[in-house]
Amino acid sequence: RAIVEIKDTVAKLAKTDATILIMGETGTGKELVSKLIHCESLRAEKPFVVVSCGAIPDTLLESELFGYEKGAFTGAYRQREGKFELANGGTILLDEIGELPLHLQAKILRAIEHKEIDRIGGGKQIKVDVRVITATNHDLEEESKKGNFRKDLFYRLSVVTINLPPLRERPEDIMALSEFYLEKMNQRYHRKFLGFTKSAIEVMVNHTWPGNVRELIHRIERAVIMTAGSYLD
């Protein structure tokens, strides 16, 4: 039921250009939901660009997002477009937005509100038509109270918020997902497993799945590789 409600929400939001904040624990499918929003939007034929704010060093993140002009710094031998320009006309997902350094948050706010960015070393504003979706496993409201996240940016990002429930809160989905991914892994590794033993099902339904769907997928993949027989135990 929770996922059906999320899909209904996506259907309502996709055709708009509203900024969306997707919240949920790691492995709950935040990027998957953002892709669904893009694919059902009027921008579906345009680029969908993902930036993992927590995976890129602070010193490189600004140039990754906004690009730079030739000669802007040592090693800038040519002009380079940033992710916002590459996503022009389409959608950009700023994943792990809670990891975004404070000094870049103002530039992100300007990019969203005024639809313009400036490259490092550039002297003019560049217009960009981009739908912004952000995702995080942090409580941004709490982070803004602590001074770690700009309140004005938080309010701008959370025009619409989608909360993805962890797998432990929807145990009725565990076996449906497991059967789906077992079939996927059977095809990938040319195996012919028929399903799961009764004891395996009992353990799976009662497991808390701290890594959520991502953990479930990896557990099934490992079992398919390592197990002999017709059923996963």
Side-chain angles (χ1 to χ4, degrees):
R1 180 173 178 176
I3 300 303
V4 170
E5 290 176 355
I6 286 168
K7 290 176 73 176
D8 288 344
T9 299
V10 166
K12 293 174 184 175
L13 296 174
K15 298 297 190 289
T16 75
D17 262 351
T19 305
I20 298 173
L21 173 62
I22 304 174
M23 301 182 67
E25 296 178 7
T26 182
T28 49
K30 296 186 289 295
E31 184 173 336
L32 191 65
V33 171
S34 66
K35 283 182 180 177
L36 181 62
I37 294 168
H38 174 73
C39 289
E40 293 190 7
S41 76
L42 300 176
R43 299 173 178 267
E45 300 303 317
K46 298 295 184 177
F48 175 75
V49 177
V50 179
V51 181
S52 180
C53 299
I56 303 170
D58 291 358
T59 52
L60 300 177
L61 187 54
E62 184 174 5
S63 63
E64 188 73 14
L65 289 167
F66 305 113
Y68 53 80
E69 297 290 351
K70 181 179 179 181
F73 50 82
T74 303
Y77 299 116
R78 60 180 177 82
Q79 182 191 81
R80 182 185 176 187
E81 294 182 339
K83 298 296 187 183
F84 269 89
E85 287 181 83
L86 295 175
N88 195 38
T91 305
I92 189 168
L93 169 63
L94 301 178
D95 197 10
E96 301 177 51
I97 188 69
E99 304 290 337
L100 190 70
L102 277 168
H103 72 278
L104 288 181
Q105 291 177 20
K107 294 192 72 169
I108 292 292
L109 182 61
R110 183 175 184 83
I112 295 172
E113 292 197 328
H114 300 285
K115 293 189 177 297
E116 59 185 26
I117 57 102
D118 58 287
R119 298 189 189 122
I120 297 174
K124 64 177 182 178
Q125 300 294 319
I126 300 169
K127 288 290 184 181
V128 287
D129 174 24
V130 178
R131 200 242 183 101
V132 177
I133 301 175
T134 57
T136 184
N137 56 12
H138 293 279
D139 185 340
L140 293 188
E141 185 170 15
E142 187 63 30
E143 292 298 314
S144 68
K145 290 177 182 177
K146 294 178 182 177
N148 298 327
F149 201 86
R150 291 178 62 118
K151 287 186 178 180
D152 51 0
L153 180 57
F154 167 68
Y155 296 137
R156 189 64 184 83
L157 295 180
S158 56
V159 172
V160 179
T161 301
I162 298 176
N163 288 289
L164 300 188
L167 191 54
R168 63 181 174 275
E169 291 182 7
R170 46 191 183 95
E172 66 276 9
D173 288 351
I174 291 173
M175 293 318 301
L177 288 165
S178 298
E179 290 164 4
F180 175 81
Y181 283 107
L182 175 58
E183 182 59 31
K184 288 275 188 183
M185 298 306 167
N186 270 338
Q187 294 174 10
R188 181 179 297 178
Y189 295 105
H190 308 290
R191 306 299 294 273
K192 295 181 180 180
F193 286 104
L194 302 176
F196 304 86
T197 65
K198 186 176 180 180
S199 59
I201 291 171
E202 183 178 352
V203 170
M204 291 164 72
V205 171
N206 288 296
H207 183 52
T208 57
W209 298 107
N212 293 291
V213 182
R214 183 181 292 120
E215 179 189 357
L216 177 69
I217 295 169
H218 292 164
R219 291 282 188 114
I220 292 173
E221 182 173 17
R222 181 172 64 185
V224 167
I225 293 170
M226 301 299 292
T227 306
S230 299
Y231 292 85
L232 297 182
D233 200 358

